[in-house]
Amino acid sequence: MLSTSPPTLSPSSPPPSPGPGRVRRVFTSVDDLGLLSFDYIVVGGGSSGCVIANRLSENPNVSVLLVEAGPDAGGSFEVNTPANWVMLLGSSMDWSYMTEPQDATKKRRHFWSRGKLLGGSSSSNALVYVRGNPADYDEWEKNFGCPGWGFEKVHQYFKRFEGNRMPTDQTDDGILGSDGPVKISTTSGGDVHLLTSVFVRACEGVGLGRGANGSILGNQSKFEHGFYGADYNGKNQFGAGIAQLTACNGLRCSSDRAFIHPCVDPSSSYYRSNLTVLVGHTATRLEFVDDGNPQADGMKAVCGVYFQASRDSSPVLIGARREVILSCGTMNSPALLMLSGIGPREELVKHNIPCVAELPVGANLHDHVSVPLLFYDKTNTAYRPTPTQLAAATHKYQLYQGGMLATSGGESTGFFNTPRKQPGRGGPNAQIQFMPSNLDPPFGDLAGWTANVHAPNPDLAQANGAATAFDASEARAAMSLFCDRRRQSTFAVSATALHPLSRGRVWLRSPDPFDAVAVDPQYFADPRDLDAVVDACRGVRAVVGKMREIEPDWIGDELVDESIVNEIWRAENRCAGVPDAKERSTIVESENYLRELARRLAGLNYHAVGTCKMGPITDVSTVVDGSSLKVKGFSNLRVADASIMPAIVSGNTNGPCMMIGEVASDMIKGRFKK
């Protein structure tokens, strides 16, 4: 652990005087490093990698190199301001993956955002902080054979990095850590939209998550923190509350801001000369000892990593005297392993890559799937990028770092169980999130998102290797639901299935490390996933119905996709025409309508996990040993990021990834106790 916590993020805090001879240890050129060999190389400066680089460099007697493919943009307005996260979607700081066409979602290709900058997706996500449910981690330990990963153990690793800034009236006392470098606070300090408070009251009014087995109770159930609702990171995840964000004083607190910047800044008292950061360089291949042949101990070993600044530049080998840790994320960690000859033999043979170790790299891919429901806002106050609203928001943000620019759009979130929850998993299987905005910039373009055209730079997606063409007809079809949303104020509530059963995979398109991997999540391949999303949508409708009871003059009707209504009516009646009002209402409430809506609008939470699954070394479905995070068969190669999760957690994944970084650090130091 850090002996003291990093400086507060308050911009008013004066920096300490710089030390003699210090330089900022973030470099853009290999030539500036001064040496080409380090004790530890951490590949990927995201949520997990930044934690690992920080914790390893606590020992002044070891040298640590952290390498990130994207830039160091932590000081930019786009990254620091919570509301601006959607501006990064599809930008040069986004990997901009596109999936293979998904049969169950109308052959759509889905846009997958992953942060391509120091801090990774912790620098580009919507900031919502969720630990997950204790049962998630207990299941990792008991059901997936990962000793030491139960919640009783990992709880202490969460507390190590958490810097809770919420007063006791907003959060369960003593659950979150308070001394860590990652600052956590309520959305905009509680200065949320008036509709958000109605949403929390409505969740309380229907007893969201407080019925039998975490279901909707159907009547009033008081949440613990009044206006702020339930603390879903506290004693009971079930319920709803004002969203907790990795932010402080209106500024994002990403993993690089918490763990790296204080250590490389020459004016900081936390400066470390043994930590070096190289940005703008892509890892292209691992170098093995003796060409990957087993050593005297029977294990294979790595001795370095090749990096390139661009496709046209020459690769440079940087040596690793002790270990290499991959924290490149769910797409890029398996990609680097396969490019180096670790993966399914049949995939490697296709690209003439010699097989060093045959492991199921790239399998077990899964993610949370969400469906947005939109409703008319009769107050006409939902967040919109009008000159009047932006001027007022800027003024408020400058005055006290609050208001619209201090929120990431999703101001409240809640957790509950649906009627068709599958047995075998604890914790909630559904999440709903309230967004009091029209989902136009600065809070994103929902129609573009659902049609996979919201990446503003399609050329970038194609340059990254996505085999896609943006389909204008598909975009127009997705727009049918939102034809007048720009003329009328609306808000959105998303319904998310938290425990997907469908599994996809990631594989190489080519042996070129600058070509993006192919991504096939196999959405709704297991039909029970579609059932779960439909049930979650019904939960959304129950909550919004209660909102309408509480404030009938504020909450309007749901926006309905009339094309779906007409298709269902014509299929059922086997004739042309349109339904009357009563028939229309019946169809909108039907299972068929919600199932078709889900197929058309299902989108991503960008929580992909699982492609380097951890577990027992005897389990043929695993890639890394859950007791050490070492790649099976290797003595000094580890993976530590979302890709190791055997099953996705019940909530957002940024916090769990930082926890994984903490655990990995202790494993490397020999301090991890099962």
Side-chain angles (χ1 to χ4, degrees):
M1 293 178 62
L2 291 172
S3 57
T4 54
S5 86
T8 176
L9 293 179
S10 171
S12 62
S13 299
S17 300
R22 291 180 174 181
V23 296
R24 189 169 190 270
R25 300 194 60 78
V26 179
F27 303 100
T28 58
S29 171
V30 172
D31 296 336
D32 296 330
L33 297 182
L35 65 161
L36 290 178
S37 180
F38 295 81
D39 290 316
Y40 296 100
I41 298 178
V42 182
V43 185
S47 299
S48 304
C50 287
V51 178
I52 296 169
N54 176 293
R55 299 310 191 193
L56 293 180
S57 63
E58 289 172 341
N59 180 355
N61 298 316
V62 302
S63 59
V64 179
L65 174 67
L66 174 66
V67 185
E68 166 56 39
D72 176 12
S76 70
F77 177 73
E78 291 81 4
V79 172
N80 283 348
T81 307
N84 283 343
W85 71 274
V86 294
M87 301 307 217
L88 301 174
L89 295 173
S91 73
S92 61
M93 290 183 281
D94 192 333
W95 286 98
S96 300
Y97 298 103
M98 297 294 291
T99 72
E100 299 299 295
Q102 297 299 290
D103 291 340
T105 61
K106 319 297 285 189
K107 298 289 186 181
R108 285 188 289 135
R109 295 182 185 271
H110 294 257
F111 175 78
W112 277 29
S113 173
R114 302 312 300 158
K116 189 180 182 182
L117 70 167
L118 194 60
S121 294
S122 78
S123 292
S124 63
N125 66 3
L127 293 87
V128 177
Y129 182 74
V130 182
R131 281 179 166 185
N133 193 272
D136 298 330
Y137 306 103
D138 291 341
E139 288 159 10
W140 288 4
E141 182 171 52
K142 296 174 183 177
N143 298 350
F144 293 99
C146 301
W149 287 92
F151 185 71
E152 184 178 355
K153 271 287 196 296
V154 303
H155 182 212
Q156 301 308 312
Y157 287 104
F158 276 110
K159 295 188 75 168
R160 180 187 288 184
F161 69 78
E162 291 168 340
N164 179 20
R165 291 298 178 267
M166 295 176 286
T168 55
D169 66 332
Q170 299 179 21
T171 182
D172 295 350
D173 188 35
I175 304 296
L176 293 180
S178 58
D179 298 326
V182 179
K183 310 310 176 190
I184 301 168
S185 61
T186 50
T187 295
S188 191
D191 179 23
V192 295
H193 195 280
L194 57 90
L195 292 177
T196 301
S197 62
V198 178
F199 174 80
V200 174
R201 288 165 57 198
C203 289
E204 189 176 57
V206 300
L208 187 85
R210 297 305 169 88
N213 300 317
S215 61
I216 293 179
L217 181 62
N219 53 42
Q220 181 78 9
S221 176
K222 283 287 185 182
F223 292 157
E224 294 78 8
H225 298 286
F227 171 84
Y228 295 95
D231 178 5
Y232 53 77
N233 285 315
K235 298 174 183 177
N236 182 8
Q237 187 185 7
F238 292 90
I242 304 299
Q244 299 175 14
L245 306 182
T246 49
C248 183
N249 298 325
L251 297 175
R252 177 190 293 273
C253 188
S254 53
S255 61
D256 60 315
R257 189 176 181 88
F259 288 99
I260 299 301
H261 289 165
C263 301
V264 298
D265 183 352
S267 67
S268 170
S269 58
Y270 304 95
Y271 182 81
R272 297 174 184 170
S273 59
N274 63 328
L275 174 60
T276 303
V277 180
L278 177 65
V279 296
H281 282 69
T282 298
T284 59
R285 183 167 60 86
L286 301 172
E287 178 73 359
F288 300 105
V289 177
D290 293 339
D291 296 323
N293 292 310
Q295 302 303 290
D297 59 0
M299 304 290 282
K300 300 171 184 177
V302 293
C303 57
V305 185
Y306 287 92
F307 296 97
Q308 288 179 239
S310 67
R311 192 190 298 265
D312 299 326
S313 65
S314 299
V316 176
L317 175 63
I318 300 180
R321 292 188 290 269
R322 296 191 182 187
E323 293 197 18
V324 172
I325 303 98
L326 305 188
S327 296
C328 312
T330 297
M331 269 64 81
N332 284 341
S333 283
L336 182 55
L337 289 174
M338 288 187 280
L339 287 166
S340 306
I342 302 172
R345 185 180 299 273
E346 65 273 15
E347 289 295 330
L348 303 178
V349 168
K350 290 178 184 178
H351 304 296
N352 296 316
I353 299 174
C355 184
V356 176
E358 186 169 12
L359 291 170
V361 174
N364 192 47
L365 175 67
H366 54 295
D367 191 2
H368 293 143
V369 181
S370 293
V371 174
L373 300 181
L374 270 68
F375 302 85
Y376 288 110
D377 161 35
K378 292 161 74 172
T379 70
N380 200 34
T381 61
Y383 297 145
R384 305 178 76 182
T386 63
T388 301
Q389 274 209 20
L390 287 177
T394 302
H395 180 66
K396 182 180 283 191
Y397 189 69
Q398 291 173 337
L399 280 178
Y400 61 92
Q401 294 81 49
M404 184 173 78
L405 294 183
T407 175
S408 61
E411 292 193 341
S412 177
T413 194
F415 298 88
F416 65 106
N417 278 333
T418 64
R420 289 181 282 189
K421 178 181 178 178
Q422 296 301 311
R425 284 208 63 176
N429 78 323
Q431 178 178 3
I432 60 175
Q433 188 157 358
F434 181 76
M435 295 162 278
S437 76
N438 273 41
L439 296 172
D440 291 318
F443 295 108
D445 185 333
L446 181 62
W449 169 56
T450 56
N452 301 304
V453 295
H454 75 312
N457 187 349
D459 293 333
L460 175 66
Q462 291 183 329
N464 283 345
T468 182
F470 290 95
D471 188 336
S473 63
E474 190 172 279
R476 285 194 294 271
M479 282 292 291
S480 66
L481 179 55
F482 312 110
C483 57
D484 63 347
R485 68 191 177 92
R486 296 181 188 276
R487 295 194 295 271
Q488 297 191 51
S489 186
T490 60
F491 63 86
V493 189
S494 67
T496 302
L498 293 176
H499 299 161
L501 298 169
S502 303
R503 294 293 185 267
R505 68 186 183 102
V506 164
W507 67 93
L508 296 178
R509 294 185 188 278
S510 80
D512 186 337
F514 288 89
D515 282 348
V517 291
V519 179
D520 185 5
Q522 286 286 305
Y523 290 133
F524 303 144
D526 190 312
R528 292 172 292 181
D529 291 346
L530 184 55
D531 294 340
V533 169
V534 167
D535 287 348
C537 288
R538 293 196 184 280
V540 168
R541 285 179 168 178
V543 171
V544 176
K546 180 60 70 172
M547 291 178 70
R548 197 173 292 115
E549 286 183 25
I550 295 171
E551 295 291 354
D553 294 333
W554 292 9
I555 309 301
D557 294 333
E558 180 180 339
L559 278 72
V560 173
D561 190 329
E562 300 296 344
S563 68
I564 297 177
V565 174
N566 293 338
E567 285 178 13
I568 292 174
W569 187 87
R570 290 164 186 163
E572 291 176 349
N573 291 274
R574 299 182 182 277
C575 64
V578 295
D580 60 28
K582 183 178 180 180
E583 292 169 326
R584 176 185 180 277
S585 178
T586 300
I587 291 172
V588 170
E589 294 296 322
S590 70
E591 176 96 356
N592 285 342
Y593 175 85
L594 289 175
R595 293 175 78 84
E596 182 62 19
L597 188 73
R599 292 187 186 99
R600 294 191 186 192
L601 298 186
L604 287 305
N605 282 3
Y606 309 135
H607 297 163
V609 306
T611 51
C612 296
K613 179 183 175 183
M614 70 173 172
I617 58 174
T618 55
D619 184 345
V620 296
S621 73
T622 62
V623 175
V624 302
D625 178 358
S627 66
S628 65
L629 297 188
K630 290 181 179 179
V631 176
K632 294 196 302 187
F634 289 82
S635 62
N636 65 342
L637 174 62
R638 305 187 201 235
V639 180
D641 54 32
S643 70
I644 70 164
M645 294 188 191
I648 198 166
V649 295
S650 304
N652 303 56
T653 51
N654 181 39
C657 284
M658 287 189 275
M659 178 274 291
I660 288 170
E662 293 280 15
V663 172
S665 302
D666 266 14
M667 287 178 170
I668 296 167
K669 294 177 179 181
R671 297 178 181 175
F672 181 71
K673 296 180 180 180
K674 302 175 188 176

